[in-house]
Amino acid sequence: MSADRAASGPPEGARADWTIDQDWARYTPAEHQVWVTLYERQAALLPGRACDEFLKGLKALDLHGQGIPDFRELNARLNALTGWTVVAVPGLVPDEVFFDHLANRRFPAGRFIRRPDQLDYLEEPDIFHDVFGHVPMLTDPTFADYMTAYGEGGLRALRLGRLANLARLYWYTVEFGLLQTPRGLRIYGAGIVSSHGETEFSLEDPSPNRLGFDLIRVMRTPYRIDDYQQVYFVLPSLQRLLDDTLQDFAPIYRRLEALADIAIEAITPADQVFTRGSQAYAKAHIA
Ligand code: HBI
Ligand code: FE
């Protein structure tokens, strides 16, 4: 998130913490229909691909395909489960604002929904990505605590000038993480579960590498924001993610100063390899 935007403060109509009212009554039938279309596509694809925690959360929140959820109803359910709430924001918010919300168990979600001609790609997170993608995992107590720890860690990383490293952890877990289960690899990352194309690509395509999760390894790996990932990291359990994140990152940041980044497509001798990808997709799509 750029500093100029952070310096300029919240846009008109937003509160000091960048939140706005959801104004649920203002969504048009066409906007609700976009939600329904996206919901139905993903609901058909996710059984057997999304992890149990995600599917259970989706059900517990009663996020069915009838239209854009009303945060008042969503929050009543979510808050009772893990103490989290969803707050509406106009779009991307400055890093410090974002982390402060997470540290206080508030998840900032875009209020707008993509247009019908943008079903597969958009630059800023909309309500489908944020609510369908992120909120089901916030019903899981372990993941809910991880997100809080991440927000606290984000505020510390900002002070230490280490946000670039910590942002990679978010990217490769919260957005694009895979989970190892007794029945095979499953997705939990919001960027995947909210994407029709990447749901299949992340699990089934021969192109990307799929490597065991290692905190420092992840923080040394750049990512791409413009296309499917070239590498996914596989967690052995959600508990591992929480445990790793509860440690003090200051010594880790000091170690990272002496360690170079790892090329996005590289596999190192220390990596636990689930899939050695062909990288065919990435090679065919180099701009
Ligand atoms: N704002 N609304 C919103 N959503 C995000 O995911 C987000 C953000 N601001 C900053 C930010 N993410 C990054 O700091 C994290 O992805 C690390
Ligand atoms: Fe996201």
Side-chain angles (χ1 to χ4, degrees):
M1 182 65 222
S2 57
D4 52 315
R5 183 121 171 228
S8 67
E12 224 181 287
R15 300 177 192 98
D17 67 357
W18 287 66
T19 61
I20 53 178
D21 288 330
Q22 186 193 13
D23 247 339
W24 184 82
R26 287 191 50 173
Y27 292 115
T28 65
E31 287 175 323
H32 284 296
Q33 186 53 48
V34 171
W35 175 282
V36 171
T37 303
L38 291 166
Y39 183 95
E40 286 178 355
R41 281 201 324 185
Q42 288 313 92
L45 209 52
L46 289 178
R49 292 194 177 90
C51 68
D52 291 344
E53 291 83 353
F54 179 90
L55 294 170
K56 190 176 160 211
L58 197 59
K59 211 169 173 181
L61 294 171
D62 204 16
L63 276 184
H64 39 61
Q66 285 161 19
I68 298 171
D70 185 331
F71 289 178
R72 290 166 295 195
E73 291 166 21
L74 178 66
N75 280 331
R77 295 198 172 87
L78 177 62
N79 203 265
L81 289 166
T82 55
W84 274 78
T85 43
V86 177
V87 292
V89 291
L92 285 173
V93 302
D95 294 325
E96 189 169 11
V97 174
F98 185 68
F99 295 142
D100 188 65
H101 281 301
L102 297 186
N104 290 288
R105 291 173 106 79
R106 292 186 301 265
F107 189 78
R111 174 174 69 178
F112 73 100
I113 192 153
R114 66 196 77 181
R115 296 192 314 261
D117 61 312
Q118 295 175 311
L119 291 191
D120 295 305
Y121 181 77
L122 75 168
E123 274 167 36
E124 289 211 6
D126 75 341
I127 194 168
F128 187 76
H129 168 81
D130 279 335
V131 172
F132 183 93
H134 284 284
V135 180
M137 289 304 289
L138 292 174
T139 65
D140 179 77
T142 306
F143 194 84
D145 286 352
Y146 164 65
M147 287 288 275
T148 309
Y150 185 90
E152 290 165 352
L155 293 171
R156 282 194 298 271
L158 278 178
R159 289 195 292 271
L160 297 169
R162 281 282 151 189
L163 186 59
N165 292 120
L166 194 73
R168 291 168 175 176
L169 175 63
Y170 193 86
W171 194 261
Y172 282 119
T173 61
V174 178
E175 296 292 353
F176 292 98
L178 302 182
L179 182 66
Q180 192 179 8
T181 81
R183 283 166 293 136
L185 298 188
R186 294 289 186 271
I187 58 185
Y188 70 90
I192 310 178
V193 294
S194 64
S195 160
H196 194 65
E198 198 149 2
T199 291
E200 287 188 319
F201 180 87
S202 65
L203 288 171
E204 288 142 46
D205 199 276
S207 188
N209 296 329
R210 298 179 185 87
L211 307 174
F213 176 86
D214 177 275
L215 184 67
I216 290 182
R217 194 327 174 176
V218 165
M219 289 207 264
R220 293 173 65 191
T221 312
Y223 56 83
R224 42 189 318 160
I225 58 167
D226 56 336
D227 208 334
Y228 298 154
Q229 301 305 303
Q230 288 178 248
V231 54
Y232 298 92
F233 290 96
V234 181
L235 274 181
S237 67
L238 296 174
Q239 189 63 46
R240 163 74 180 277
L241 184 57
L242 176 59
D243 291 345
D244 275 12
T245 309
L246 287 176
Q247 65 183 309
D248 180 5
F249 278 22
I252 294 175
Y253 293 142
R254 279 197 293 277
R255 275 181 68 188
L256 282 166
E257 279 170 36
L259 296 168
D261 280 357
I262 297 171
I264 197 163
E265 74 288 350
I267 296 181
T268 75
D271 286 328
Q272 177 193 6
V273 181
F274 288 84
T275 309
R276 188 175 292 272
S278 66
Q279 297 297 330
Y281 177 88
K283 284 176 197 151
H285 287 76
I286 296 287

